[in-house]
Amino acid sequence: MAIKPLVILPDPQLKRVSEPVTTVTPDIRALAADMLDTMYDAPGIGLAAIQIGVAKRVVTIDLAKQDEERSPIVFLNPEITWESEEMALYEEGCLSIPEYYEEVERPAVVKVRYMDLDGKTQEVEVDGLMSTCIQHEIDHLDGVLFIDHLSKLKRDRCIKKFAKQAKERERGA
Ligand code: GNR
Ligand code: NI
């Protein structure tokens, strides 16, 4: 178990489409454990494996507040099987786009099918923050970021700012 470095915009890894998990191996369990360690350390409420540089369809989520008991969920190969017509606006952030926040509109309620760490298929209906978060994470598995849901103007400005920051870090290092 370990805290891993986060992949930050504009790293091209964030555009990769992640590969499905076929079976729950010790490697997958170790990956999920590293993801949870990294997510709690950040801290964040969700993480997709590509955010630590692993292109596998693994997502971790824990919506518990910092003073509450931890309630981690690991989603393998999560897929949306139904979405509501009703939409909801939520101010989103992303650990790969630090300190940048914008409102994104997504379906308010979704059904998600996934495999758990016991290899069992599960299906859940979620709303509120869990709905926003799982949709944000499934986007990561397909190489999509929340800024891809914004206007081209906002997206381009954001990418430009992070590209500049990356260059400055390079120069400093
Ligand atoms: O920690 C996170 N908070 C968050 C807030 C609103 C909508 C989505 C998120 S996910 C984010 C962590 C992250 O980047 N997951 O990919
Ligand atoms: Ni994110």
Side-chain angles (χ1 to χ4, degrees), residues 46-48 51 92-97 136-137 140 144-146:
L47 197 75
Q51 294 181 276
E92 299 197 18
C94 182
L95 294 174
S96 297
I97 314 175
H136 173 118
E137 303 310 340
H140 274 301
V144 174
L145 299 171
F146 84 89

Side-chain angles (χ1 to χ4, degrees), residues 60-73:
T60 55
I61 294 182
D62 190 337
L63 300 185
K65 306 241 160 59
Q66 293 209 275
D67 57 333
E68 289 172 359
E69 206 180 316
R70 285 182 176 178
S71 54
I73 311 177

